[in-house]
Amino acid sequence: MIKHVVLYLFLLSCTCLAQAQDFKISGKVFEEETGMGLMGAAVVIEGTTNGTQTDLSGSFSLTGVKAGDKLVVSFIGMKTEIIPITNKSRSSEIIVHLKNDNYQLDQVVVTGYGTARKRDLTGAIVSVSGEELKNAPTNNVMSSLQGKIPGLMVTNSGSAGAEPDIKIRGIGTLNASSNPLYVVDGMLMSDIKFLSNSDIASMEILKDPSSLAIFGVQGANGVIIITTKRAEGDKTSVTYDGYFGAQTVWKRDRVKLTNATEFTMLYNEMLQNQDPNAASWVPDMLGTGTDWQSKVLRERAMITNHNLTVSKSGKNSKSLLSVGYYKQDGVLKYNTYQRFNVRFSQDYDITKNLKAGGNINLSQMDSKPASAKIQNAVMALPTYVPYAPEEDYDPENLGSLYHPSADIQSNVNNPVAQMELYKDTEKYRDYRIIGNIYGEWNFLKDFTLKATGYMDIGLYRGEQYTPRYDVNNSTSHSAHKNDITNFYRKSDEGRTFQADFLLNYKKMITNHRIDATVGYTARKAISEGFNAKVDSLANGMNIVPDDLWMLSMGSVNRVSAGDWWNEESFISYLARVNYAYKDRYLLTATFRADGSSKFSPSHRWGYFPSVGLGWVISEEAFMEPLKKVVDFAKLRVSWGKLGNDKIGNYLYYPTINPKGKQVIINGVTQFIPTLSYDIDKDIHWEVMTGIDVGISAQLFNNRLGMELGYYSKTTDDLLAYVSPSSSIGAGYAITNAGSINNKGFEFSLSWKDRIGDVDYGINVNGATLKNKVTKLGDNNSDIISGDYHRTSVGHPIGSYYGYVQDGIFQTQEEIDNYYPMTWTAKPGDIRYKDLNGDEKITDADRTYLGSPMPTFTYGFGFMLAYKNFDLNVDFNGVSGNKILDLKKAVAWTTTNFYEKSLQRWHGEGTSDKEPILDKSRGHNYLSSTNLLENGSYLRLRNVQLGYTLPQSAISKLGISGLRVYVSGQNLLTFKHNSGYTPEIGGSALQGGMDQGDTYPLPSVYTVGLSINF
C-alpha cells in the first residue's frame, strides 16, 4: 500500500513539474475570408513582452510558454483572438482564423434623440472617444479637438480657464450667435465649461443638415453631443486620472520689441522727421532697459488636474461617482482659475421592461483675471525702471512704490504698477447644478417610451475693488492715479428647465431595418441679476483692507445700482425615420416644428425638414472583384433646413428713449422722448438650407480609412441691423436682411498597420471654406464696421477694406511723377496703387484686402506603439487668412517700436516696405496691406509619450491597468505674424484685430498618471 502511495505522489509531482516547465508552441494564422496564411500577425503571451510575428505563410513558433498562459493574436484591421494554452498545445499545432474587424462600422453613434450604427449614417457625423481626450491639459475639452476634425474651427486662448471659440463650417450669421449647440446627456446648453474632461464617454460632432435638422431652431451652427460616463459591466471599478505640469511663454514666442538704446535712437529720429529743429529726447537709461514682458509674465505657471471615478454595477442597478479638481495659473501674473466637480449617476432596472435613472453634476468655478495688462507691457517704453526710489515711499499712497511712465508716454501705465496695484482686486465665482431624471418603458417588444426632465441652475457672483493711489505722489507728469476707492458687486442667476418625451419604434423585418422616433420637447430659461457700485469706502480711507470691501462700507450718497430680468421659452415637435434595406440602401427623414418666444406671435413657428440617402456600394455584386481591396464603401447625400434664433429677447417690442432728442427752449435744455429704434414686427427665423455629399470607405483590410465630402449651406433672412430711418432717427434694432453662403470640401484619411513589434498609424484631415455674402437688405448696402472692416455682397463677412501698398516713395522726383493724392506725400511715405485707373489716389482706390477667416484648416499626426510604449504626435494649422496689426497704427500715444521698425525707411533705398517714422503723416496709417500680416501657421500641437506597465508587474497589487506619460502642448509654432499667437478672435463683422492685447498662448508640459483598480 505504501509503495502505491509513494508511486502516486511521485507521478503527481512529475506532472506538476511538467506543468510548471516552459515549452515551445507553434501554429499558423489564417485570414478567415480568404483562407490564406496571414503574414505579420502579432502573437504575444498576454501580460508579457514575450511574442513574435507570423512569417510569409502565416506560421509562427514561440518558446517560454507555460500551461495556463493566454496567447493574444492580433493584426491591424482584424478582430483580436485570445487562445488559452494547455499542455496539449506543446504537441499540437495551434490554428487561428482572424476575421475582419468591422467594429468602427458597427459602433453606435449618438445622433440626437437616438442612436445609429456608424455604417448606417447618411450625414456627416464625427465620433470621438472620451479616452482620446481625458489627458489633454485643458479646462475645456473642445480645445483638444483643434486640428482633429475637418470643418471644426477652434480658436484657443492662453488665459486661465478661457473657453475656446468654436465654429463649424464657417460663419453663417451677422449679429446672431454663430456658436454651436452643446447637448450634454440630452440637455441643450450653450457652454460646457462646467464639465470635466475625464467625465466624457464620447463626443459626436454633427455638421450636415440631415443630422442637424432634428435640433431645428438650435442646429444651424452645428451641434456637439456629449455623453458622460456611466457604470458598465457587472463589477466595481476605481479609476484615477491626473497630471501636473507647467506653462511658459518662451522668448522666441514673445513680441519682438526694441531695447532702450534702439528705442531712443528711433524716437529721436522720428522727432527729427517731424521737426528738423526738435531737441533730442534724453531717456532715464539706455542699454537693454526694462523688459516689461518678463516683468508681467510668469516664468512657469502651474496647471494640474485630478479625477477619481468609482463605479459599481449590480444585478439591477448601476451607479457612478466622479470627483474632480482642475487648477490653472495663467502665464500673466495673478491670473488664476480653478474648478471643483462632483458628478453622480444612477440607473435602475425596475422590471424587465422598466428602467429609471438620473444624473447630477455639481461644479464650482473660481477665477481671477490677470491684473497685468499684456498690452501695457508691449506698449511701455523700456527706458525706465518699474520701481521708484525707496525715499519716495509714502505709506498712505500705494502708488508711491512705482516709477511713473516716461514723460513722453503719460497715458500708458507702468505695467508693473498696474499689475501690483490691482492684484487680487477682482474675482468671480460660478456655481452650476445640472441634472436629469428619466424613466424608460419597453412595451410590445419593439416600442420604447422615454420621458426625461432636465435642469440647469447657475449662480454667478463677481466683485471688483478699485484702490486709491497716485503713482509717484503726483510729482511727475503721470496720469496713472485714482483719487477715490470704489467697490462693485454683481450677482446673476440662471434657471433652465427642459422636458423631453420620446417614442421609439425599432423593428427588423427580413431585410428591412426600421428605426422611427417621434417626440415632444419643451424648454424654458429664466435669468435675472443685479449690480451695485459704491465709492469712498471706509470713510475715504487711503488704503482699505480687503475685509472691508463691501457695499455697506461705501458712501451712502454715492451709490449706483441696477437689475435685470429675462425669460425665453420654446416648444418643439419632432419626428425621424431611419430605414435600411439589406443594410445597403439607407434613408433618414427628419421633420421638426419649433416655436420660439423670441419672435412675434405671427412668426413664432418654424418648420425644418431634412432627408439623407446612403448607398453601401461595397455590398453590391459589381464590387465583388474589389473585395480584397475594398472592405466597406458608402456614398451619402443629404439636404435639409434649419433655423437660428440666437438673438436677444423682446426685440419686436418698441421701447422709448426718454432723452432721445435735445432742444433748447428759452435757454433751457429740454428732452423729447423718441423711439429707441424702429421695430420689425415681422422679424422671424434665420433659415439655413444646405446640401452635403460624401463618401466613406475602409480599404486594405481596414488599414486605410477615408472620408471625403462637399458641403454648401446658405443662410437666408439674416438677422441684422440696418441703416437708420431718417424719419425717426432710429434704426431697426434687428431685422431679417440678407443671405450668406458657406461651402467647401472636407477630407480625412487614416492608415494603421504593423511592422515587426511596432504598431503605427498616420492620419491627416483638412477642410476648405469659401464664405460669401450674397444679399444685404433690399439695396445690398455695405455694412461698414469701423475703419478697417466692410461686409459687402460678393465678399466674405467682415473683410478687410483699404488701400494696396505699392512700395515706398524714395525721392521727391518719384512723387512728382506719380498720381496726385488727397494728401501731401513726402519721401518715405507709402505709395498706394491706383486700382480704378483714374490716375489719382482717392478713397475710390480702396478694395477688399482679405479676410480674418482661414480658407483652409488642417491637421495631421502619427502614433507609434512598441510593446508597452506609445507615442502620439499631432500638428494643426490654417492658411488663407489675414491678421490686422493695429499696434503699428497707434497714434494717440508714444509706444515702444517693433524690432522690425529697425528696417524702416530712413533714406533713399533703405526700405520698400516699412515707411518713415513720422506719426504726423496719418496717410501712412490708413487701412492698407501695410497693416496686414499673413495669418497662416503650422503648430506642433501635442506630443505625448506613455508607458503602460505589464499586468505581470501590477496584478499582485490589485491594479488592472497603470499608465504613466509625459506630454508637451503648443511646442512649436511656425507663423508669420508679429503678435503672441496667430489665433486672433473677434466678432463676425470685426475679426482678426491684434492690438497687442491678445493673451499669449503658452507651451504646456505635463506628467500624468492613469490607474485602474
Side-chain angles (χ1 to χ4, degrees):
M1 181 68 180
I2 296 176
K3 292 181 179 180
H4 288 110
V5 172
V6 171
L7 178 62
Y8 174 77
L9 292 175
F10 173 74
L11 293 174
L12 180 62
S13 63
C14 290
T15 302
C16 292
L17 182 62
Q19 287 182 340
Q21 288 178 337
D22 295 345
F23 55 84
K24 179 180 178 180
I25 61 172
S26 62
K28 195 167 185 178
V29 179
F30 294 92
E31 183 180 357
E32 183 169 278
E33 290 190 358
T34 64
M36 297 178 63
L38 192 60
M39 180 184 71
V43 182
V44 182
I45 300 301
E46 186 178 54
T48 73
T49 58
N50 183 20
T52 186
Q53 276 194 315
T54 57
D55 61 17
L56 188 64
S57 65
S59 300
F60 70 90
S61 62
L62 192 63
T63 59
V65 182
K66 297 189 296 289
D69 284 344
K70 292 182 179 179
L71 193 68
V72 180
V73 184
S74 61
F75 189 80
I76 296 295
M78 295 190 173
K79 291 183 178 179
T80 298
E81 293 289 338
I82 300 178
I83 312 296
I85 300 299
T86 65
N87 279 318
K88 293 181 179 180
S89 302
R90 73 169 70 202
S91 58
S92 60
E93 188 177 41
I94 298 173
I95 302 299
V96 182
H97 291 87
L98 294 185
K99 301 177 182 178
N100 278 337
D101 184 6
N102 291 317
Y103 164 74
Q104 289 186 338
L105 301 178
D106 294 331
Q107 177 186 357
V108 175
V109 174
V110 180
T111 58
Y113 305 105
T115 60
R117 294 187 307 169
K118 188 173 182 179
R119 65 170 293 140
D120 295 337
L121 297 177
T122 60
I125 300 178
V126 179
S127 183
V128 182
S129 167
E131 291 299 308
E132 301 177 42
L133 307 170
K134 65 179 183 180
N135 295 327
T138 174
N139 71 298
N140 191 300
V141 70
M142 296 306 300
S143 296
S144 59
L145 293 180
Q146 189 177 46
K148 292 182 177 293
I149 297 173
L152 180 71
M153 180 67 183
V154 180
T155 303
N156 283 314
S157 168
S159 180
E163 297 180 77
D165 181 64
I166 306 297
K167 299 290 183 290
I168 297 178
R169 290 183 170 179
I171 298 175
T173 186
L174 294 177
N175 296 104
S177 171
S178 58
N179 296 327
L181 170 71
Y182 295 94
V183 182
V184 181
D185 293 329
M187 179 79 181
L188 309 185
M189 50 188 55
S190 59
D191 70 83
I192 54 170
K193 62 184 180 181
F194 63 90
L195 191 60
S196 169
N197 295 359
S198 297
D199 285 336
I200 297 174
S202 67
M203 294 179 65
E204 275 75 32
I205 293 85
L206 282 59
K207 301 185 288 185
D208 75 293
S210 173
S211 307
L212 296 169
I214 195 70
F215 293 101
V217 60
Q218 307 291 327
N221 298 323
V223 174
I224 297 171
I225 300 176
I226 297 175
T227 304
T228 60
K229 293 177 179 177
R230 306 188 84 92
E232 296 179 350
D234 295 315
K235 63 178 183 178
T236 299
S237 65
V238 179
T239 302
Y240 166 81
D241 294 299
Y243 59 79
F244 178 85
Q247 311 156 91
T248 189
V249 180
W250 297 108
K251 286 197 173 182
R252 67 167 186 262
D253 297 324
R254 299 180 187 181
V255 178
K256 305 300 186 293
L257 301 168
T258 58
N259 62 31
T261 298
E262 292 167 339
F263 170 80
T264 303
M265 181 266 292
L266 292 178
Y267 181 70
N268 281 321
E269 180 183 307
M270 184 172 70
L271 293 179
Q272 291 294 312
N273 291 334
Q274 294 174 174
D275 180 4
N277 299 316
S280 294
W281 177 73
V282 179
D284 290 348
M285 64 178 177
L286 294 172
T288 302
T290 300
D291 180 0
W292 294 108
Q293 295 180 84
S294 295
K295 298 296 183 184
V296 302
L297 290 169
R298 288 183 169 114
E299 289 187 18
R300 288 173 294 277
M302 185 193 73
I303 183 171
T304 188
N305 182 71
H306 306 276
N307 199 90
L308 183 66
T309 302
V310 180
S311 65
K312 184 176 182 179
S313 299
K315 182 179 180 180
N316 296 314
S317 68
K318 297 179 179 181
S319 58
L320 181 146
L321 175 66
S322 173
V323 180
Y325 174 70
Y326 174 88
K327 186 175 190 299
Q328 180 184 14
D329 290 335
V331 289
L332 276 175
K333 290 180 179 178
Y334 311 134
N335 175 208
T336 63
Y337 172 86
Q338 65 178 359
R339 180 183 63 211
F340 302 89
N341 285 85
V342 177
R343 192 175 69 86
F344 179 75
S345 68
Q346 185 81 48
D347 298 285
Y348 294 99
D349 292 332
I350 301 174
T351 67
K352 181 179 179 181
N353 299 320
L354 189 62
K355 299 179 181 180
N359 183 3
I360 188 166
N361 188 101
L362 310 176
S363 61
Q364 175 187 314
M365 293 156 280
D366 300 320
S367 63
K368 293 181 182 179
S371 57
K373 305 299 180 185
I374 194 63
Q375 186 179 32
N376 274 14
V378 172
M379 297 174 69
L381 305 189
T383 57
Y384 67 99
V385 295
Y387 295 95
E390 290 185 12
E391 58 267 24
D392 288 348
Y393 176 63
D394 177 359
E396 288 298 309
N397 177 20
L398 295 174
S400 64
L401 287 167
Y402 309 101
H403 197 290
S405 51
D407 55 355
I408 57 174
Q409 200 187 38
S410 60
N411 45 4
V412 175
N413 297 335
N414 175 334
V416 171
Q418 178 79 21
M419 175 180 70
E420 297 294 344
L421 289 168
Y422 286 87
K423 174 184 176 182
D424 296 335
T425 59
E426 188 175 0
K427 55 186 177 182
Y428 302 93
R429 173 163 289 179
D430 196 351
Y431 294 101
R432 198 82 174 265
I433 305 172
I434 297 172
N436 65 65
I437 185 170
Y438 74 90
E440 183 177 300
W441 175 35
N442 297 318
F443 62 98
L444 299 180
K445 187 179 180 180
D446 304 314
F447 290 89
T448 301
L449 178 64
K450 185 175 183 179
T452 310
Y454 305 87
M455 71 169 185
D456 180 358
I457 298 176
L459 304 173
Y460 175 83
R461 174 177 172 174
E463 56 186 50
Q464 182 178 357
Y465 167 73
T466 303
R468 180 180 180 180
Y469 60 89
D470 189 345
V471 173
N472 213 27
N473 292 318
S474 295
T475 58
S476 76
H477 53 278
S478 175
H480 192 188
K481 61 181 179 179
N482 183 61
D483 295 327
I484 303 175
T485 59
N486 61 67
F487 181 71
Y488 171 84
R489 175 170 287 164
K490 65 178 300 185
S491 180
D492 301 336
E493 178 182 342
R495 304 182 299 279
T496 302
F497 303 97
Q498 178 183 322
D500 292 348
F501 301 91
L502 302 172
L503 177 64
N504 177 257
Y505 171 77
K506 284 186 178 181
K507 186 74 173 179
M508 186 71 183
I509 306 173
T510 60
N511 293 322
H512 305 273
R513 186 192 302 271
I514 302 170
D515 185 345
T517 300
V518 295
Y520 167 84
T521 180
R523 184 172 181 265
K524 184 173 185 177
I526 302 171
S527 55
E528 57 184 309
F530 85 94
N531 59 76
K533 181 179 180 180
V534 298
D535 60 26
S536 301
L537 271 67
N539 295 317
M541 286 178 62
N542 288 330
I543 300 176
V544 182
D546 56 7
D547 57 351
L548 298 182
W549 295 357
M550 296 180 289
L551 294 173
S552 59
M553 296 303 296
S555 170
V556 296
N557 298 319
R558 301 177 66 88
V559 178
S560 60
D563 60 359
W564 57 276
W565 181 86
N566 252 318
E567 181 178 356
E568 62 182 76
S569 60
F570 75 78
I571 59 173
S572 304
Y573 301 92
L574 59 95
R576 178 176 58 206
V577 175
N578 292 322
Y579 170 76
Y581 176 64
K582 293 186 175 181
D583 285 340
R584 185 182 307 172
Y585 308 110
L586 313 172
L587 166 69
T588 299
T590 305
F591 181 80
R592 178 159 173 153
D594 281 317
S596 172
S597 65
K598 293 187 176 183
F599 303 111
S600 63
S602 59
H603 295 278
R604 187 152 287 174
W605 284 91
Y607 304 95
F608 309 105
S610 79
V611 62
L613 300 173
W615 178 23
V616 184
I617 58 174
S618 55
E619 296 294 324
E620 298 291 352
F622 63 78
M623 293 291 291
E624 193 65 32
L626 299 175
K627 277 290 185 182
K628 292 184 179 180
V629 176
V630 180
D631 304 294
F632 175 81
K634 176 179 68 178
L635 298 175
R636 56 176 174 80
V637 60
S638 64
W639 169 93
K641 286 181 175 288
L642 303 102
N644 188 0
D645 71 341
K646 304 292 194 305
I647 57 173
N649 296 313
Y650 321 119
L651 294 178
Y652 59 90
Y653 286 111
T655 61
I656 299 296
N657 179 2
K659 295 184 178 181
K661 286 190 176 182
Q662 177 179 314
V663 297
I664 298 177
I665 302 175
N666 297 326
V668 179
T669 300
Q670 303 287 342
F671 294 98
I672 300 176
T674 63
L675 287 173
S676 299
Y677 46 78
D678 202 355
I679 63 166
D680 182 0
K681 294 181 180 179
D682 295 323
I683 188 172
H684 54 275
W685 309 89
E686 286 185 350
V687 178
M688 189 276 279
T689 305
I691 61 169
D692 192 275
V693 180
I695 180 171
S696 304
Q698 296 286 326
L699 310 173
F700 307 112
N701 285 329
N702 294 311
R703 290 184 181 92
L704 177 63
M706 180 176 67
E707 294 276 351
L708 304 175
Y710 168 80
Y711 68 92
S712 178
K713 60 178 186 177
T714 299
T715 306
D716 295 310
D717 295 335
L718 286 174
L719 294 165
Y721 292 94
V722 300
S723 301
S725 166
S726 59
S727 60
I728 64 169
Y732 286 109
I734 200 166
T735 188
N736 297 95
S739 300
I740 296 174
N741 176 261
N742 289 274
K743 60 184 177 182
F745 294 91
E746 297 176 346
F747 68 90
S748 178
L749 301 171
S750 64
W751 175 269
K752 296 185 296 182
D753 204 351
R754 169 177 291 158
I755 301 175
D757 290 334
V758 178
D759 292 317
Y760 72 95
I762 303 170
N763 65 83
V764 59
N765 73 82
T768 67
L769 172 65
K770 184 176 182 180
N771 175 277
K772 184 170 72 172
V773 178
T774 57
K775 181 183 178 183
L776 279 177
D778 295 331
N779 301 317
N780 285 330
S781 300
D782 294 351
I783 298 176
I784 300 173
S785 306
D787 295 328
Y788 306 100
H789 297 80
R790 183 170 293 206
T791 299
S792 306
V793 171
H795 300 278
I797 301 172
S799 294
Y800 300 120
Y801 189 78
Y803 296 94
V804 176
Q805 181 178 359
D806 189 26
I808 299 290
F809 286 120
Q810 301 295 323
T811 64
Q812 185 61 45
E813 181 181 3
E814 185 181 344
I815 297 171
D816 295 340
N817 291 326
Y818 199 62
Y819 306 121
M821 292 154 271
T822 56
W823 55 83
T824 301
K826 297 178 182 179
D829 286 349
I830 295 176
R831 183 176 63 239
Y832 297 118
K833 283 188 177 181
D834 173 27
L835 296 181
N836 67 350
D838 64 356
E839 298 187 349
K840 55 184 177 181
I841 307 299
T842 65
D843 287 352
D845 292 305
R846 293 178 299 168
T847 188
Y848 298 90
L849 305 178
S851 169
M853 282 185 287
T855 56
F856 182 55
T857 57
Y858 61 94
F860 61 91
F862 64 88
M863 62 76 61
L864 296 173
Y866 174 72
K867 296 186 177 179
N868 290 0
F869 290 94
D870 61 88
L871 173 68
N872 288 273
V873 180
D874 294 309
F875 292 82
N876 80 284
V878 307
S879 66
N881 61 309
K882 302 290 185 182
I883 293 173
L884 183 63
D885 180 15
L886 286 183
K887 184 180 177 298
K888 291 176 64 174
V890 173
W892 53 270
T893 189
T894 301
T895 66
N896 196 2
F897 295 105
Y898 280 136
E899 194 177 76
K900 65 183 178 182
S901 295
L902 295 170
Q903 310 303 319
R904 81 288 179 205
W905 188 94
H906 55 286
E908 184 177 351
T910 53
S911 176
D912 201 43
K913 170 64 177 175
E914 296 299 325
I916 190 172
L917 296 178
D918 185 348
K919 290 194 175 181
S920 66
R921 305 188 197 184
H923 44 272
N924 288 329
Y925 304 100
L926 296 172
S927 178
S928 75
T929 52
N930 180 264
L931 298 179
L932 293 179
E933 298 178 317
N934 187 342
S936 302
Y937 73 87
L938 170 64
R939 174 174 288 141
L940 177 53
R941 175 67 177 153
N942 186 66
V943 177
Q944 187 174 108
L945 175 64
Y947 178 75
T948 302
L949 273 68
Q951 279 294 116
S952 57
I954 60 176
S955 58
K956 294 181 179 179
L957 300 175
I959 299 175
S960 59
L962 191 155
R963 179 177 180 266
V964 294
Y965 63 90
V966 293
S967 74
Q969 193 175 58
N970 305 324
L971 299 180
L972 285 172
T973 302
F974 304 95
K975 63 186 181 73
H976 305 275
N977 70 305
S978 54
Y980 286 103
T981 172
E983 297 187 55
I984 310 295
S987 67
L989 298 177
Q990 286 183 290
M993 296 188 293
D994 186 357
Q995 304 181 70
D997 57 350
T998 303
Y999 200 106
L1001 190 66
S1003 297
V1004 186
Y1005 304 88
T1006 57
V1007 178
L1009 174 68
S1010 296
I1011 308 178
N1012 298 313
F1013 295 93

